[in-house]
């Protein structure tokens, strides 16, 4: 952010974007494995319900719904703890 000039978003190359997605995919896989190991049955049921809603939102082609539901899933999956 520059004083009196606002915020600027840095341009990234296609190669950088690909690398970022690769890293995110690896992190998502690791999180998924941990959730599978640690989540209790109630948490897994909640995550399965969110997945069903995400798939339904994706089928309608509504990006806002898909993004909102993906965010909820990510938040819930990262907070899954053993009980």
């Amino acid at each position: 952010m520059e004083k009196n000039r606002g915020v600027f978003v840095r341009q990234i190359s296609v190669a950088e974007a690909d690398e970022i997605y690769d890293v995110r995919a690896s992190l998502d896989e690791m999180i998924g494995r941990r959730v599978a190991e640690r989540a209790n049955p109630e948490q897994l049921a909640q995550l399965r319900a969110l997945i069903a809603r995400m798939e339904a939102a994706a089928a309608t082609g509504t990006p806002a719904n898909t993004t909102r539901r993906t965010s909820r899933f990510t938040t819930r999956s990262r907070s899954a703890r053993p009980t």
Side-chain angles (χ1 to χ4, degrees):
M1 188 160 148
E2 293 182 35
K3 187 175 180 179
N4 298 322
R5 297 207 49 200
V7 176
F8 295 87
V9 177
R10 184 175 79 83
Q11 295 285 327
I12 62 171
S13 68
V14 172
E16 283 179 291
D18 285 343
E19 193 172 309
I20 290 167
Y21 279 105
D22 287 345
V23 170
R24 288 201 59 183
S26 296
L27 289 172
D28 286 345
E29 180 181 346
M30 182 182 71
I31 291 166
R33 289 177 191 271
R34 287 190 176 199
V35 167
E37 294 169 355
R38 298 176 180 183
N40 64 42
E42 180 183 342
Q43 291 168 323
L44 289 174
Q46 291 173 350
L47 291 171
R48 285 187 181 108
L50 278 170
I51 289 170
R53 290 194 297 268
M54 287 167 51
E55 289 172 343
T60 66
T62 310
N65 283 340
T66 303
T67 301
R68 189 170 36 254
R69 295 194 192 290
T70 301
S71 177
R72 284 184 192 145
F73 178 82
T74 302
T75 301
R76 287 245 176 104
S77 65
R78 289 182 180 167
S79 66
R81 301 273 187 258
T83 58

